[in-house]
Amino acid sequence: AILVPAALLISVWLPWLITPLLMVGGLFLCFEGAEKIIEKLFGHAQQEDESVVEQQDLQEYEKQKIKGAIRTDFILSAEIIVITLGTVAGATLVNQALVLSVIAIIMTIGVYGLVAGIVKLDDAGLYLLQKAQQSGGKFKELVGKFLLAAAPKLMRFLAFAGTVAMFLVGGGILVHGIPVLHHAKQGSTKFVTDLVGKMGELATPILFDGLLGVLAGVLIVISINLYKRISK
């Protein structure tokens, strides 16, 4: 409801803004991924989380986490819409509106609906266990225990996969938007392919995008931290 009309207005009035928006979104993805890794490695995230929970009640803490997730998902959604807009930039306005609307509906119902289901897995497991205790269903009890045990592991895996995806997508956007990086990617792919064969042709572009995403994200995190220290 917000992003599709905004994208159509950009397409009509400011078509030159599509590429800069893509680049900003790509840099944000790299930054988010790098920040997660740095916090994980140096333990700042856990210490900060524990101190926040001590100072605030859990409900307020959860609200802050939800706001952060909504902000990230909104930016990811905007990036998907802008990528789609860039793909259909040469089409008529009506076709652009149709394609953007279909993508928006698929993302909202399909992807975010699936995410909502995954987040509620542990609630579903707890519900089945309670039902099993009331009615004595062995199958419900087994499924409930399985969901409660699987939910944390699945969430950890998705967190890891999501971080990797941030680097791959963010790095890929930067490569496509900056000609020098695009040529470097092609050159490195050809070089590695000549050395190791077909496997290099498949793996090198992915590694190039991922490493570039990591490098860009780390540089942004360092720059932001330096700015904060200098501003103090």
Side-chain angles (χ1 to χ4, degrees):
I2 297 172
L3 295 173
V4 172
L8 292 173
L9 289 174
I10 290 173
S11 177
V12 173
W13 298 105
L14 301 169
W16 55 268
L17 195 58
I18 295 175
T19 299
L21 286 175
L22 280 172
M23 301 297 286
V24 170
L27 288 172
F28 175 80
L29 292 178
C30 297
F31 163 73
E32 283 275 291
E35 191 176 41
K36 290 178 185 298
I37 289 180
I38 291 174
E39 288 179 345
K40 188 73 173 177
L41 289 176
F42 294 98
H44 296 322
Q46 186 176 0
Q47 295 173 5
E48 182 182 351
D49 288 349
E50 291 173 354
S51 63
V52 170
V53 174
E54 290 174 359
Q55 296 170 10
Q56 304 174 1
D57 60 85
L58 288 174
Q59 189 174 10
E60 182 63 27
Y61 175 69
E62 186 176 5
K63 286 181 180 179
Q64 291 186 4
K65 284 291 186 181
I66 291 171
K67 286 180 181 178
I70 290 173
R71 182 186 67 248
T72 301
D73 283 347
F74 183 83
I75 293 174
L76 289 172
S77 300
E79 192 73 357
I80 291 167
I81 292 297
V82 173
I83 290 172
T84 306
L85 181 61
T87 304
V88 296
T92 63
L93 186 61
V94 174
N95 286 338
Q96 288 181 3
L98 288 173
V99 172
L100 289 173
S101 298
V102 169
I103 294 298
I105 291 170
I106 292 173
M107 286 297 302
T108 303
I109 298 175
V111 177
Y112 291 126
L114 177 62
V115 170
I118 292 172
V119 170
K120 288 294 184 180
L121 273 181
D122 52 352
D123 290 339
L126 185 61
Y127 173 80
L128 288 174
L129 279 180
Q130 291 173 345
K131 284 293 184 180
Q133 290 174 357
Q134 295 172 3
S135 60
K138 190 66 177 177
F139 179 74
K140 289 181 180 179
E141 181 181 355
L142 290 174
V143 175
K145 288 181 178 179
F146 172 77
L147 290 178
L148 283 174
K153 297 177 182 178
L154 179 60
M155 293 299 291
R156 283 195 293 270
F157 169 76
L158 290 176
F160 170 77
T163 302
V164 173
M166 284 181 179
F167 291 129
L168 292 176
V169 176
I173 291 172
L174 295 178
V175 168
H176 285 292
I178 302 175
V180 175
L181 294 177
H182 183 67
H183 294 315
K185 178 180 177 179
Q186 289 180 327
S188 61
T189 301
K190 185 178 183 304
F191 176 76
V192 176
T193 302
D194 292 339
L195 288 177
V196 300
K198 193 69 175 180
M199 184 61 69
E201 185 179 358
L202 297 174
T204 305
I206 298 175
L207 291 174
F208 190 93
D209 291 346
L211 291 175
L212 178 66
V214 172
L215 178 61
V218 170
L219 289 176
I220 295 172
V221 171
I222 292 173
S223 300
I224 291 176
N225 287 331
L226 285 175
Y227 172 77
K228 287 181 179 179
R229 292 189 178 186
I230 292 172
S231 63
K232 289 180 180 180

